Structures are given as C-alpha cells and as structure tokens.
Amino acid sequence: MDHQTYVEGSVAENEKVMTMKDWIIVSLFMMIPIANIVLLFVWAFGSDGNLNRKNWAKAGLLLLAILMGLYFVFGTIIAIVTFILIGMEWQ
C-alpha cells in the first residue's frame, strides 16, 4: 500500500482535498448568475459537503459582503456630493 492510498483511507470524506477537476466544476458553477450566490450559501451553511469548499464559500460570502458595504458607502458619498454640487449650481 503506497502513502497516498493510506492517507486517503484515513481521512473523512468531507475532509478530502478537492481535486483540480472539482475546482474547475465549482468555478463553472460560479459563472452562472444568481445561482452562484445561492450555491455559495448552500456550500457555506449546508450540513454536509467538503470542508475546503465550505470554507471557500464562507470566505467568498464575507468578501462579497465587504465589497457590497464599500459599494454602498462610496455610492452614498458620491450621491451626496452630487446633490450638493447640483444644489450649488441652482443658486
């Protein structure tokens, strides 16, 4: 028995390292609009599934939340500045 077979046999199914094929499939699913967000939630908070994909999905959702927050803050600032400049033009 070689080392790889021994290691794979002693690791739980949800803790196995995802192969390149698995990551390519995940990447293809992430290209589908709307479904990608749904899949992130399913993979992040589902009771079963690969732990690597689970942690990756949680990180993706966290990054998405941070970017949406920044988008909201900067969008609000730009809107306020625009309304101020438009108001100054009317005077």
Side-chain angles (χ1 to χ4, degrees):
M1 170 164 39
D2 63 347
H3 177 70
Q4 187 174 4
T5 306
Y6 174 74
V7 171
E8 288 178 3
S10 64
V11 176
E13 185 65 32
N14 66 343
E15 294 178 1
K16 288 186 178 179
V17 175
M18 290 181 60
T19 63
M20 186 175 10
K21 180 181 107 178
D22 295 334
W23 283 115
I24 289 172
I25 292 169
V26 167
S27 297
L28 290 173
F29 279 132
M30 288 297 103
M31 292 180 191
I32 304 170
I34 309 296
N36 54 8
I37 306 238
V38 172
L39 284 172
L40 280 176
F41 278 102
V42 169
W43 289 333
F45 303 114
S47 59
D48 57 350
N50 190 287
L51 294 179
N52 296 311
R53 187 176 56 215
K54 186 180 199 96
N55 287 331
W56 176 81
K58 286 179 183 178
L61 287 171
L62 180 62
L63 184 61
L64 182 65
I66 290 170
L67 291 176
M68 287 184 72
L70 288 172
Y71 178 77
F72 177 76
V73 167
F74 286 119
T76 303
I77 290 171
I78 290 172
I80 291 171
V81 168
T82 302
F83 286 131
I84 290 172
L85 292 175
I86 290 173
M88 292 172 68
E89 190 176 289
W90 283 87
Q91 293 178 0

